[in-house]
Amino acid sequence: MNDEFSYETQDTSLNKKAELPLVWLLPICAFIVSGWLIYKSASEKGPVITIDFPTAEGLEIDKTKIRYLDVEIGKVTDININQDAKTIQVTAQMHHTAENYLNQNTSFWVVRPQVGLAGISGLNTLISGAYIEVKPGDGPHQHHFTGLPAAPVLKTEAKGRQFVLETANLGSLGPRTQINFHGIPVGEVLTQELSVHADSIRLVIFIKAPYDQFVRKNTRFWKDSGIDLSAGADGFKVRTGPLVSMLSGGIAFRTPPDDTVKDVKPEYAMFHLYDTYEQSTQIEYRNTLKYVMYFNGSVRGLTEGAPVQLRGIPIGAVTGISLELDAKTADIRIPVTVDLEPDRIKEINKQPNVSNKDMMSRLISKGLRAQLQTGSLLTGQLLVDLDFHPNSKVALHSNNSTYQEFPTIPSSLDQFTHAAQTIMDKIAKLPLNELTTEMNSTLKSLQVTSKAANGMLTDAKQTMGSADKSLQSADQLLRSLEPGSTTRHEIDKLLLELNQSANSVKQLTDYLEQHPEALLRGKDDE
């Protein structure tokens, strides 16, 4: 029985694999993507930094970006007021790529729209809002910074070199003042500071490459104010510059073509900043002879820097004008100090043992004198003119200065004024009152004589009228006589004589009408 119902059994194995439902793929993918995003976000996050600013104007949490070269490298995450209640602290999340920029000398500033004489900047922030810009610096890493109140002059590490300009008058110049080279903007002023002795102002300027190689040994810088109007002994001069310089001032420089690459000046070399272009073109002569000149007349119109000319050619300049009072004699003197530059004069047949001072003394002994002359009738500026006056004597004064006195002569205006004064003095000495009285008496006598002459003329006219009537009666009588008779001949002869006499009287009356003074002086000889 057992065999009948016995079945051959074998162990079977179920080939059943565990399968994950597809519905689980969605959360898994979401988990992976989330994890990747979290990892990416965490991996891209950089350090958190804090920046102190004077104000939070234009800054917004989670909106204000931090940029370097217009690339976003961070974002403002919080803004708080500092404990001093005078500044605010900005907390920013930086990207990991900005880690190398966060050093001690790194600068931060807020970019806002600005409108000035030099132009408009930050105009794009009107739409995008203000942002914080970064200028990387060197030094050790740090995460707390003090923001700049304004953008630095050099926002990027531009190639070029810095130089120093020295001037006594700053004028409208300052940081960001543009520097032009032949009208091309090539740099700007970085900083300004007072010198150690407070007698000048030094400007640190930056000249971009490749223009910095043109700053050489004899380079001249001057203030390029746009419109340079000057009035001097040479008259009025007008010079214009770029429009930006006209609005906000500027600096320009030029380099003589004789300077070569070997004359390129090193960085931080110092130059003098001239006030005008004309001053920068003047050649500096180091070999000078100093003299003092005493002028007796007024020096109104003579200023420091006025030219000293020899026959119209400048050979020096006025360096000082003062006023002296002699307490003993109460005399007033005006010493004028001048610098003569002998190098301006080309010597011919130069003598080896004769110095410039000896040569000048020789010229003075030949009659070289200094005289004030008007340089311009429009401005009234005076200049010192040197010329030879051999007949003038040397009249020296009590010279209290350390310089040799140069003999002077009165100016042409002084000489004219002196001559006019002499004439006026002579006129003042004349007896003008007595002369006036006699002249009035003479005029009265002349009026009386003139009235008498008029009466005589009236009587003469009446006499002529009577004579004319007599002649008419005689003519009628002659007509009644027979021609050829003796009586008629005698009457004709008498009438002829009467007619001649009447003509003579008529000529006399006509002459007296035209020349009544003949009654006093007689008839002029013709």
Side-chain angles (χ1 to χ4, degrees), residues 13 16-17 63 129 161 184 248 286 318 385:
S13 60
K16 186 177 182 182
K17 296 181 181 179
K63 291 185 177 179
R161 290 183 297 161
I184 303 173
S248 59
R286 301 184 183 279
V318 175
D385 184 71

Side-chain angles (χ1 to χ4, degrees), residues 53-60 64 79 88 110-113 129-132:
F53 283 109
T55 176
E57 178 185 359
L59 303 181
E60 297 182 69
T64 301
I79 300 175
I88 59 100
V110 180
V111 179
R112 303 184 182 93
Y131 62 90
I132 299 174

